[in-house]
Amino acid sequence: MSVGADVVEGMRDYYARRAAYYERVYHKPERQPDLRAIEAWLPGVFAGRRVLEVACGTGWWTPHGARDATAWLATDLSPETLAVAQTKVLPSCVRFATVDAYALDLPLDAPPFDAAFAGCWWSHVPLPCLTAWLEVLHGRLAPGARIVFLDNSFVQASSTPISRRDAAGNTYQRRTLDDGSEHEVLKNFPSRDEALAQLGPRARQPQWIDHRHYWVLSYELA
Ligand SMILES: C[S@@+](CC[C@H](N)C(=O)[O-])C[C@H]1O[C@@H](n2cnc3c(N)ncnc32)[C@H](O)[C@@H]1O
């Protein structure tokens, strides 16, 4: 898998600058019913599991997913977003580490993981890299692991408009931060069938849940 250093650095920089107010996106009134439903669903999925969270950001989902988990390693590439996450009241099983999601070089003392979670990360992985990235993730997990991805659905009037599509099919948004800086952010909105097609042969019993503003994909690893 070759993700350009410029792509990795651009995404890290964008979210580092946005970290202090990233969670405004979770205050959008129209998204509240979906958020409450997903937050209520997550703890049961990971109860008793040792979970690797990829690109945890400011940790919006971490307290919910980790509530009944046995161990939870929340990882992100940005020290700025991790710093916000670490200010939260979290279950005692939660640890943090600075980890590049593409390499997934985990701390030596990390537990063997039997689950993984990534919120709003899939949409940022360039399409030509997705299958290879999933293989890297699967390689860090035990057989039988439970995997959950959740991400944004595109909803007119709530989502930032798509500004262009590249030759590989990736879509992009132009976003302006509070400091006035402008960023072109790769953000894909897969359909159910497109997402399932990426999962590869180790994905068992995939389930796709369509909320209004979010989709959730969960499956078990062979
Ligand atoms: C859309 S945010 C998602 C945050 C959180 N999971 C959520 O759902 O609210 C994307 C996150 O990916 C992180 N990120 C960007 N590039 C990364 C990389 N190469 N490895 C790990 N995390 C990365 C950013 O710092 C940011 O926190």
Side-chain angles (χ1 to χ4, degrees):
M1 175 185 36
S2 64
V3 181
D6 52 333
V7 173
V8 174
E9 180 50 29
M11 197 65 83
R12 196 209 65 78
D13 175 61
Y14 168 76
Y15 280 106
R17 290 172 182 240
R18 191 180 158 193
Y21 52 91
Y22 170 77
E23 291 193 359
R24 276 186 212 153
V25 75
Y26 289 117
H27 299 151
K28 292 192 175 195
E30 70 277 17
R31 298 187 183 182
Q32 299 310 304
D34 283 4
L35 291 170
R36 297 297 88 75
I38 299 168
E39 290 161 6
W41 175 79
L42 271 181
V45 178
F46 294 120
R49 299 263 182 177
R50 297 178 304 276
V51 187
L52 171 62
E53 182 178 7
V54 177
C56 66
T58 57
W60 180 270
W61 301 107
T62 309
H64 306 289
R67 194 187 78 189
D68 300 323
T70 296
W72 185 284
L73 182 67
T75 68
D76 199 280
L77 189 56
S78 161
E80 289 84 350
T81 61
L82 283 168
V84 175
Q86 282 166 310
T87 65
K88 299 196 166 169
V89 176
L90 293 164
S92 60
C93 66
V94 176
R95 300 283 178 273
F96 289 96
T98 307
V99 173
D100 179 353
Y102 290 108
L104 284 183
D105 290 328
L106 300 174
L108 292 176
D109 62 354
F113 293 106
D114 60 4
F117 171 72
C120 302
W121 168 249
W122 175 297
S123 54
H124 289 314
V125 179
L127 288 172
C129 303
L130 249 179
T131 297
W133 177 71
L134 286 165
E135 278 176 24
V136 172
L137 175 67
H138 294 166
R140 302 293 182 274
L141 306 173
R146 188 96 210 131
I147 300 169
V148 177
F149 298 114
L150 74 80
D151 220 305
N152 302 98
S153 305
F154 187 84
V155 179
Q156 210 81 36
S158 184
S159 306
T160 304
I162 291 166
S163 52
R164 77 175 174 99
R165 182 183 296 268
D166 70 16
N170 295 296
T171 51
Y172 296 81
Q173 297 170 325
R174 291 218 62 84
R175 301 182 184 178
T176 305
L177 293 179
D178 284 9
D179 64 6
S181 60
E182 288 203 13
H183 303 258
E184 184 180 61
V185 177
L186 187 157
K187 180 81 177 175
N188 289 318
F189 297 92
S191 67
R192 172 189 178 279
D193 290 350
E194 288 167 342
L196 294 189
Q198 301 279 357
L199 290 181
R202 290 188 68 194
R204 288 208 178 133
Q205 298 169 324
Q207 286 190 321
W208 175 273
I209 304 171
D210 258 326
H211 296 270
R212 171 110 177 89
H213 293 270
Y214 297 90
W215 55 262
V216 178
L217 174 58
S218 63
Y219 59 96
E220 190 183 290
L221 200 60

